[in-house]
Amino acid sequence: MKAAKVILALVLAASLMFAFTSCTCKPGDIEEEKITQPEAMSTPSAISSQSEIVKPAAVTAGVIMVGNRIVDIGDKVYPIYFDFDKSELRSDSRNTLSELAQWMKNNPSVDLRIDGHCDERGSNEYNLALGETRADSARKYLVYLGVSPDRLETMSYGEEKPSCSSSTEDCWSKNRRDDFTITSK
Amino acid sequence: MKNKIQSFPNLILTTCVLILFIVCISSGFPAHVEARVYLELDSPNLRRIPLAVAPLQPLCGCQTDEKIALTGRKILIDDLEFSTFFELLDDPSSYLEKPKSCGLSQGSFDFRNWSLIGAELLIKAGYSQNGEKLVVEFRLYDTLAGKMIVGKRYRGRAQNIRLLFHKFSNQVVESITGLPGEFTSKIAFCGRQNNEPAQELYTCDYDGHNRRQITRNKSINISPAWSSDANKLVFTSYRRDNPDLYLIDFMKGKETRLTERKGINAAAAWSADNRHLTLMQRYENHSEITIIKTSSGDTILRVTKSSANQASPCWSPDNREIAFVSDRSGTPQIYITTAQGGRWRRLTKKEAYNADPDWSAHNDKVVFTSKIDGIFQICTIKPDGTNHRQLTYARRDCETPSWSPNGRHIIFTEKINGIEQLMVMDDKGRNLKQLTFDKLKKKGPNWSANR
């Protein structure tokens, strides 16, 4: 089993203010007419209309993580990693999750979000589904180990949130992962 | 943080397009035109028709404007070259006609000057600009028959010169083949600068011009899809911390959130009447195909019921069936089900990884990606599973193919020097063209209808 160093990073998410903005769009008017006789002319009239684009406001707040740096739970939780196009837990992942389950039992007020990720290869949309299954694999195992399902939620980022950005197997293997984030205390 | 959709003049523009003045004065066209078939598209010996584009002239009394003349002519030539139906005789130095002494209209020039250089078709165009206002007259001639095939006059803002010329290019292709070109369509795609976390949505013309950034929410935005009238765009955004589906209505200038369901709401595709969307949503912690109402976002049907993952649904042209990806066999493959759910069949049988189907409304083919010898390539297949054909033989992954509105071209991404670029090719995999060259990493292109 690989012992990795855990870096603590609980980052409070900034609340995102989505400001109202609007802009007026100038319509371009193109009129079309059929020419039948040479140089036949007619007098088309222009229509102009205006549309405004207005954004709704939204506020989001929560706890997030940066990159693949994980939850502060003493010493022991890392991302767990997966093989290409697979969502089955590897044995090293099961060990990690056992420690996480124990920690959650010792810290009953903590809820967790599990984010499933994929590497950049393959269909982006299929990878969204695969990320969901990867997150769910960890969730199921934690529940099997006695963690209440109410304390766990899952999310998939597909291949949209890589922790490493070069196109090498080394990097891809780091991106096929589940991240864990504390969502409440 | 500011979050805004950029103004989208060209989008609005097309729809505000305006009154179509069809002045049918009895004419060069007799009432029942004996339609000549210029191109039989199914013919095995399809040949390109030689076509000349005369240098553009100022309309009577107007000043010469070299910029309009050269830009406009280049747009026509590029469009018609792209269509693959024409052999462009585009070098003016090979022309016999003296432009100064000849007009646009029939009788003001000699067809033999054009048939002698081999041009079977001839485009003549004239322009006049008055301040912001640009008027362009076009005529497409059959030089052998010595008659006009179609003539149009367009008026618009000078800044929309590209759209104006694209409109006539559509007309030319429609006159020759029966279906318009793709020249007033748009491409929507996702773009990421460097390795920033944010991925925003962009649009551009079919030829890569007029790129605009559509979202500025600094979140992850994916899977844009145009409505069939090209006035609306749905996409998935993580900006409220869950992958929700959003809709931008360019005509109303509004953005709304369509789904509030926990988990994935992504990969949406519009029904032909725009009243419904099919997409992937989370059920029992995996992804299923559903149909929702566009007006409310309410789920009206769960199409698939499986313990496996489903992704990337798209409608058949008659909306009776849905093609989608599922790993129910162990690896991602493409399946087809009735839009009511229930019966399904597996479409792809070759290769272990097939994904991202898009079903053409025009040529009854599904385009998709297939992992062949370790690399993702673009393939097409008939919905009955026949005619499986590999279109790309790239050395880097090609992904997310999308049909052009007339089914004659496919856009997709290919990683070139580490950057995913937009690529375009015809439906046989020929005439491959790189559309973008900048550093923005592009994903998920989706091709709109003409507007």
Side-chain angles (χ1 to χ4, degrees), chain A:
Chain A
M1 174 183 136
K2 216 170 32 175
K5 255 269 135 77
V6 168
I7 308 161
L8 176 196
L10 243 185
V11 179
L12 278 180
S15 68
L16 304 170
M17 280 300 299
F18 294 97
F20 276 102
T21 47
S22 69
C23 57
T24 309
C25 299
K26 286 176 215 133
D29 22 4
I30 288 189
E31 295 151 14
E32 171 182 315
E33 61 184 295
K34 192 166 178 178
I35 302 171
T36 46
Q37 278 289 72
E39 257 77 71
M41 297 294 285
S42 62
T43 51
S45 66
I47 284 185
S48 82
S49 76
Q50 292 197 328
S51 300
E52 285 213 330
I53 291 188
V54 183
K55 287 283 283 199
V59 181
T60 318
V63 178
I64 59 163
M65 283 187 345
V66 174
N68 60 347
R69 284 178 297 167
I70 297 307
V71 176
D72 167 26
I73 60 163
D75 225 2
K76 287 272 190 244
V77 176
Y78 329 104
I80 60 169
Y81 298 105
F82 295 87
D83 294 334
F84 176 68
D85 202 27
K86 293 279 184 286
S87 53
E88 289 83 21
L89 298 175
R90 305 196 312 216
S91 62
D92 57 329
S93 304
R94 279 198 285 272
N95 291 335
T96 303
L97 291 174
S98 299
E99 287 162 11
L100 178 60
Q102 191 53 51
W103 181 83
M104 286 194 77
K105 282 177 197 164
N106 297 339
N107 294 273
S109 63
V110 170
D111 290 353
L112 210 58
R113 196 184 77 214
I114 309 166
D115 292 339
H117 301 271
C118 306
D119 69 36
E120 65 179 9
R121 293 170 303 162
S123 155
N124 301 18
E125 291 173 353
Y126 175 72
N127 277 342
L128 277 178
L130 181 61
E132 191 110 313
T133 316
R134 283 179 177 166
D136 195 49
S137 295
R139 188 194 65 86
K140 275 188 186 137
Y141 196 65
L142 289 172
V143 170
Y144 166 77
L145 293 171
V147 178
S148 163
D150 301 345
R151 299 173 64 194
L152 302 169
E153 59 174 317
T154 58
M155 168 109 111
S156 171
Y157 278 98
E159 58 182 80
E160 310 299 340
K161 216 174 174 181
S163 72
C164 177
S165 62
S166 40
S167 296
T168 58
E169 176 49 40
D170 184 44
C171 205
W172 290 330
S173 66
K174 291 194 177 95
N175 288 335
R176 299 188 296 263
R177 70 195 193 279
D178 278 349
D179 285 340
F180 301 88
T181 311
I182 291 178
T183 53
S184 70
K185 262 194 173 164

